[in-house]
Amino acid sequence: MIPQKTSIPILDLPLASNPEVRQELLSRLKSALFETGFLYIVNHGIPQSTLSALTSRLPALFSLPDHVKAAVSKRHSPHFLGYSGFAEEITQGKTDLREQFDFATEPPVVWGRNDQDKLYWRLRGPNLWPEEGDESTKGFRLALEEYMREVEQLSYEFIHLIEEAFEIPLLVWRLKTAVTRNHRLKLIKYPPSLTKSRGQGVGAHKDSSGWLTFLLEVGDAPEEMDSYPRHPGSLVVNFGNAFEAATGGSVKATVHRVLAPKNTSPPRYSIPFFMGLPLNMTVSAIKQRIPEKVHKMRGRSDDEFGDRRWEEEELGVSQLRKWFRSHPEVAESWYGVDAVDRQKI
Ligand SMILES: O=C(O)CCC(=O)C(=O)O
Ligand SMILES: [Fe+2]
């Protein structure tokens, strides 16, 4: 992944429980939030066995026969969960040269019940689990659920650190409740380029699937990352659009992209976890809870901070727009051409 800046702060998580260095850790976190928009978490406490149970199965998972992957295609899911084949996704109007499986924390289905008829509630729904094959994929579901539980827990702990650093009440209790847990995770494969020129693995974007992203990069550093050190097994954290907007642009949602691997390189795998917020929350409601001093920390001019148009709308609306944009065929088949057209802003 290529963020705009190449020097990324490192947060050694166990230091948070050492009173002598806790302040230093919090000040690193501040600079990561306000200056870089990216950071590494090392020693995050997710057991190596949990990481490798999942990462070791990825090559075999993506090599499952086409009909097995097709059976869990996103085309079967109005919730945009499941598999998308190579180049089926669009960023910045161009296809991304990657394959992926999307999973969610599966909050209860509510769409169509009582007053929860807003279209975005339809984003919530069951995961599609690929049929596991031989030894190389057997146990995949358990491994994924275990990792998702661990990274979700870590995301709550991390939010507490942010709360402490800035006195921002981020409503962790609401994020955790079964009704509002709304997190997503992707398994991604970027195959090597077919030609000498490297295409768009994923186009330049700020994350909008979540509030915070925790990315596990699998395997060795690809060439594009040589410019800054890798910390194998670490998690890369970056902040999403909603976080930037809720802090009035003080916390940076950094633009990033991925180039497809060179034609001589092995495939690249990655696993981002997008910590979500309740779909019916508005950015402006969160903003009101963020102290004025945080808003004032913004050191950039107005035009550097983009998408404010959706501050007043519920997060579900912008989420839906994002999914419609990136998977138009899935969107049209489940939501209809008219609904998709209405979201094209
Ligand atoms: O694969 C990566 O390194 C980054 C993926 C990413 O930025 C995304 O899916 O939002
Ligand atoms: Fe991203």
Side-chain angles (χ1 to χ4, degrees):
M1 177 159 49
I2 312 175
Q4 275 171 333
K5 297 213 173 168
T6 51
S7 162
I8 301 187
I10 300 168
L11 231 65
D12 194 348
L13 212 55
L15 298 184
S17 40
N18 176 345
E20 279 172 27
V21 286
R22 190 175 172 92
Q23 278 318 314
E24 191 194 323
L25 181 106
L26 292 175
S27 79
R28 269 173 187 246
L29 176 56
K30 268 190 190 171
S31 102
L33 283 161
F34 289 117
E35 287 157 33
T36 324
F38 268 77
L39 61 101
Y40 284 110
I41 304 185
V42 294
N43 300 319
H44 42 65
I46 302 181
Q48 184 54 46
S49 54
T50 305
L51 302 181
S52 42
L54 181 58
T55 57
S56 65
R57 286 179 169 86
L58 294 181
L61 183 82
F62 281 97
S63 305
L64 282 168
D66 286 347
H67 72 272
V68 175
K69 294 194 272 189
V72 293
S73 162
K74 279 194 186 63
R75 290 160 200 250
H76 303 304
S77 170
H79 326 298
F80 297 89
L81 292 168
Y83 174 74
S84 353
F86 184 70
E88 278 183 16
E89 185 199 22
I90 298 172
T91 303
Q92 298 281 9
K94 268 181 75 180
T95 50
D96 295 325
L97 305 179
R98 61 180 187 174
E99 282 179 72
Q100 59 196 310
F101 293 88
D102 283 77
F103 297 92
T105 36
E106 293 190 307
V109 172
V110 292
W111 184 63
R113 292 193 198 149
N114 306 324
D115 60 343
Q116 298 184 308
D117 56 351
K118 295 210 172 133
L119 213 48
Y120 60 71
W121 288 119
R122 216 175 166 195
L123 288 172
R124 291 173 35 158
N127 286 320
L128 300 180
W129 296 101
E131 188 188 316
E132 294 173 18
D134 60 14
E135 286 310 311
S136 55
T137 49
K138 210 173 266 169
F140 162 72
R141 178 173 179 169
L142 279 179
L144 185 119
E145 287 177 335
E146 171 69 17
Y147 176 71
M148 188 120 97
R149 256 195 309 280
E150 291 277 352
V151 71
E152 183 184 357
Q153 197 50 45
L154 178 82
S155 72
Y156 299 138
E157 281 163 28
F158 188 75
I159 284 282
H160 280 307
L161 280 183
I162 296 183
E163 286 173 319
E164 184 174 339
F166 301 116
E167 298 157 43
I168 308 175
L170 289 179
L171 306 177
V172 168
W173 61 272
R174 276 203 71 189
L175 299 176
K176 272 193 199 172
T177 60
V179 205
T180 53
R181 273 172 72 234
N182 179 43
H183 315 310
R184 287 194 172 230
L185 179 147
K186 272 184 200 292
L187 305 176
I188 309 174
K189 175 181 179 182
Y190 301 91
S193 303
L194 292 173
T195 60
K196 273 201 166 162
S197 70
R198 297 168 67 188
Q200 168 170 302
V202 60
H205 66 282
K206 293 180 178 184
D207 284 346
S208 53
S209 299
W211 166 247
L212 279 173
T213 307
F214 296 78
L215 176 90
L216 179 65
E217 292 182 289
V218 182
D220 295 335
E223 303 84 349
E224 70 264 30
M225 297 196 63
D226 286 351
S227 51
Y228 60 93
R230 274 290 298 284
H231 305 278
S234 67
L235 289 164
V236 185
V237 181
N238 64 283
F239 309 97
N241 257 328
F243 209 144
E244 181 175 72
T247 55
S250 294
V251 170
K252 293 180 67 164
T254 302
V255 175
H256 53 282
R257 71 193 163 114
V258 174
L259 289 177
K262 280 187 184 165
N263 58 352
T264 49
S265 298
R268 171 168 182 264
Y269 299 94
S270 69
I271 310 178
F273 171 83
F274 302 100
M275 182 187 200
L277 288 166
L279 293 175
N280 57 348
M281 208 175 233
T282 60
V283 167
S284 61
I286 308 165
K287 200 170 178 178
Q288 282 165 18
R289 294 172 171 269
I290 301 214
E292 197 45 39
K293 66 173 184 195
V294 172
H295 295 151
K296 289 207 174 112
M297 290 176 83
R298 182 161 159 247
R300 295 169 296 151
S301 67
D302 259 20
D303 53 9
E304 279 179 279
F305 161 51
D307 210 339
R308 271 186 253 177
R309 67 189 159 162
W310 44 267
E311 258 181 45
E312 293 307 323
E313 70 190 10
E314 289 154 328
L315 289 166
V317 176
S318 51
Q319 295 274 299
L320 202 61
R321 196 159 54 229
K322 171 217 131 64
W323 287 109
F324 281 14
R325 221 175 20 231
S326 50
H327 296 283
E329 282 184 25
V330 179
E332 283 177 14
S333 78
W334 286 102
Y335 294 79
V337 177
D338 289 351
V340 174
D341 275 349
R342 277 198 298 278
Q343 301 286 343
K344 281 185 190 149
I345 313 171

